[in-house]
Amino acid sequence: MTTTQGTEPGTEQGTEYDVVVAGAGPVGLFLAAELRLGGALRVLVVERLTEVDETIKAGWINHPSVVALNRRGLLPELAAVREAVQERLRAFRDVRDGDGTTERPGFAGHFAGIMLDPELFDDSGPEWADADPAAGPGLVLPQAELERALGRWAERLGVEVRRGVELTGFTQDADGVAVQLGGRTVRAGWLVGCDGGRSTVRRLAGFAFPGTAPEITGYQALAELSGAERLKTGWNTTDVGTYVHGPFPGRVLTVEFDSPPADRYAPVTAEELEASLRRVSGVPEVRVTGVRTATRFTDNARQATEYRRGRVLLAGDAAHVHSPFGGQGLNLGLGDALNLGWKLAAVIRGRAPESLLDTYTAERHPIGAWVLDWTRAQIALMRPDRHARALRRVVEDLAGSGTGTTYLVNRVSGVWQRYDLPGGHPLTGASAPDLPLSDGTRLGEHLHTGRPLLLGLTGSPAPDTLTAPYADRLTVLTTTCPTRPTLKALLVRPDGFVAWAADTDGEEDEDGLTAALERWVGGSGAGARALTRG
């Protein structure tokens, strides 16, 4: 994008933006792309780092995240990355086993390092009915690779990304936000902080950020190791804490419960990492001869009391922080971006009132609060004291049962997540089932554009009187579904959640559909009688 220097020092004229997003991690890039899909014309992402952060972070995306990527048509682009990761996992296990012929156990996640056996998992429950077949409980995918893919997608959609640029301040008024980017100022309608746990946006905007203080010091690293033959693979608890070796060469993680680090963000040295690994594992021969990437972490667990203050909003770690156990942080942030993007775009385009943004906090805050407690529970089970270890043995027994594994996998996978939306149909508020349709497609394929979808399943087309007021913003599809013959119609929001549903044998719900269209699609509908009566 070409910019010109204005008459006011430090202000760029002609470069006003609908939204400035602070942070070009996966959450910020996903949000920016969703804003563009929703119709926001000018979206700027600013990032203080000049390159993608290669620090080892999240390595797993859960069911809702996989579904979201698939509904935007992004999974094929990630297929090669996923296969390369799988090859690394297989190679590491072959080397450790020594013969390369051992049958490999599957992976369904873990809870506090208690591995969940996929053979015990029962996916016949209603949570998995018509679930996206591409997703399963989740996928192993390094965060840096996901960030690259989302960056390419955002670029294709016309998002402007400026790296090596740091947000240093801002002021907001009733009409927008003046954002200071180093020595320059840009004017935007809205500012969204996706700038991590130490968010500058959150701090300067004055968001309350209550929670619980940290008690652990953790390290996660990719390192060069020698003498590691005695390290057990996988998650291991000891009298000192917890350590992880694998699932690919050089990856180690340690957790000690003595205190939080004095300086969490200082560079991690090989000596520091080696000392922790020796203490926790009890293997004095192990040496860390080099560090490729390393980070410290704690169990600091905090959440903003609200996700919006005026024209400033938060998403991802800027809105909530917690320990990394269970890989929930990245997924929680992607869910924030998916929920917020289309709503903010609708407000920008004048299709919805600002009050629509109130549903962002209302829908996402409870899920964030659950994640914080889910990670706190894992910390409680990982403590090395006798009471915690006794409780851990009880949970290990429960996790070794089919019922226990199924419960934990369902929770870890995120398949349970839904919103409290108006309407009495069981599907309302849930992620839309990936229905196989009679034309050979699946429901998710019709959400690639990020538009809401009105899906009629009686075979009779929806009348113009219903769809005409929304012709510029609504995808209408008439077909049938061989696996759900009693389902009459669905209204699916751009984020893939069902806003309204009706069955063929149910009562007429004309007012419900009309209200859902007006609330989530925008504008004024002309009645729903014809569709509901099919």
Side-chain angles (χ1 to χ4, degrees), residues 105-382:
F107 177 72
H110 72 87
F111 183 73
I114 300 170
M115 305 310 293
L116 305 176
D117 184 353
E119 296 299 322
L120 296 175
F121 171 55
D122 181 4
D123 63 355
S124 64
E127 303 91 341
W128 298 97
D130 298 310
D132 190 325
L139 293 175
V140 176
L141 185 68
Q143 179 169 322
E145 296 299 335
L146 176 61
E147 184 175 324
R148 290 188 182 91
L150 292 175
R152 293 188 293 269
W153 184 46
E155 182 179 5
R156 292 195 297 269
L157 290 173
V159 173
E160 180 183 351
V161 179
R162 297 189 194 177
R163 288 191 169 272
V165 175
E166 187 169 4
L167 183 150
T168 55
F170 60 86
T171 57
Q172 65 167 312
D173 53 40
D175 299 319
V177 188
V179 184
Q180 285 86 53
L181 305 176
R184 295 181 178 274
T185 298
V186 298
R187 181 79 180 173
W190 301 84
L191 170 64
V192 185
C194 300
D195 49 342
R198 295 186 294 169
S199 171
T200 299
V201 173
R202 183 188 66 234
R203 176 175 54 83
L204 294 180
F207 285 88
F209 202 49
T212 51
E215 62 181 72
I216 71 170
T217 293
Y219 297 92
Q220 183 169 207
L222 285 176
E224 302 294 336
L225 303 176
S226 66
E229 293 79 10
R230 289 185 55 199
L231 291 177
K232 296 179 181 179
T233 56
W235 288 74
N236 304 277
T237 58
T238 72
D239 292 339
V240 176
T242 296
Y243 78 93
V244 183
H245 182 208
F248 41 81
R251 190 260 182 161
V252 291
L253 179 149
T254 66
V255 179
E256 298 182 77
F257 285 80
D258 48 358
S259 64
D263 185 353
R264 179 180 171 185
Y265 299 101
V268 177
T269 65
E271 293 76 15
E272 180 184 5
L273 181 62
E274 178 180 293
S276 179
L277 186 56
R278 286 183 173 186
R279 282 193 300 268
V280 179
S281 70
V283 179
E285 300 90 347
V286 67
R287 292 286 311 280
V288 176
T289 59
V291 177
R292 283 180 280 171
T293 173
T295 183
R296 294 180 192 84
F297 64 87
T298 73
D299 57 326
N300 182 37
R302 300 184 180 278
Q303 183 180 24
T305 54
E306 57 187 343
Y307 291 177
R308 177 194 173 200
R309 297 199 72 185
R311 288 181 170 267
V312 180
L313 301 105
L314 303 176
D317 288 350
H320 35 68
V321 295
H322 49 81
S323 75
F325 301 123
Q328 296 291 329
L330 171 61
N331 298 293
L332 184 58
L334 293 175
D336 292 346
L338 187 66
N339 187 284
L340 175 60
W342 66 275
K343 293 175 180 177
L344 184 52
V347 172
I348 291 168
R349 295 300 300 269
R351 294 171 177 170
E354 284 190 22
S355 60
L356 178 64
L357 297 177
D358 296 336
T359 67
Y360 170 52
T361 296
E363 292 175 1
R364 294 302 300 171
H365 198 276
I367 295 177
W370 176 87
V371 167
L372 263 66
D373 276 347
W374 185 254
T375 60
R376 289 181 180 120
Q378 293 181 77
I379 290 294
L381 283 181
M382 294 170 68

Side-chain angles (χ1 to χ4, degrees), residues 71-114:
R71 286 173 174 170
R72 295 300 186 252
L74 296 176
L75 281 191
E77 185 174 345
L78 294 168
V81 174
R82 291 160 50 199
E83 181 56 33
V85 171
Q86 291 298 325
E87 283 296 326
R88 292 177 67 196
L89 299 181
R90 286 191 287 267
F92 178 70
R93 290 169 179 164
D94 288 346
V95 169
R96 298 295 294 188
D97 289 345
D99 58 12
T101 61
T102 305
E103 183 178 353
R104 310 293 171 228
F107 177 72
H110 72 87
F111 183 73
I114 300 170

Side-chain angles (χ1 to χ4, degrees), residues 130 425-427 435 455-458 480-490 500-507 532:
D130 298 310
H425 194 280
L427 287 177
L435 301 174
L455 179 65
L457 296 171
T458 63
T480 59
C481 175
T483 64
R484 297 287 289 268
T486 62
L487 188 59
K488 177 181 281 188
L490 293 173
W500 172 89
D503 291 328
T504 56
D505 56 356
E507 296 182 2
T532 57

Side-chain angles (χ1 to χ4, degrees), residues 52-71:
V52 172
D53 187 0
E54 298 292 346
T55 303
I56 183 169
K57 295 181 180 179
W60 183 80
I61 54 175
N62 67 6
H63 180 85
S65 296
V66 180
V67 168
L69 295 174
N70 198 34
R71 286 173 174 170

Side-chain angles (χ1 to χ4, degrees), residues 349-439:
R349 295 300 300 269
R351 294 171 177 170
E354 284 190 22
S355 60
L356 178 64
L357 297 177
D358 296 336
T359 67
Y360 170 52
T361 296
E363 292 175 1
R364 294 302 300 171
H365 198 276
I367 295 177
W370 176 87
V371 167
L372 263 66
D373 276 347
W374 185 254
T375 60
R376 289 181 180 120
Q378 293 181 77
I379 290 294
L381 283 181
M382 294 170 68
R383 292 188 181 117
D385 63 85
R386 292 184 66 179
H387 290 83
R389 290 299 162 87
L391 180 59
R392 184 182 183 89
R393 287 191 288 272
V394 173
V395 175
E396 286 174 336
D397 286 343
L398 291 173
S401 68
T403 300
T405 290
T406 299
Y407 168 79
L408 291 170
V409 171
N410 283 346
R411 303 305 280 182
V412 169
S413 72
V415 71
W416 58 273
Q417 295 179 11
R418 60 184 299 141
Y419 301 136
D420 185 15
L421 303 185
H425 194 280
L427 287 177
T428 301
S431 181
D434 195 43
L435 301 174
L437 305 177
S438 57
D439 62 359

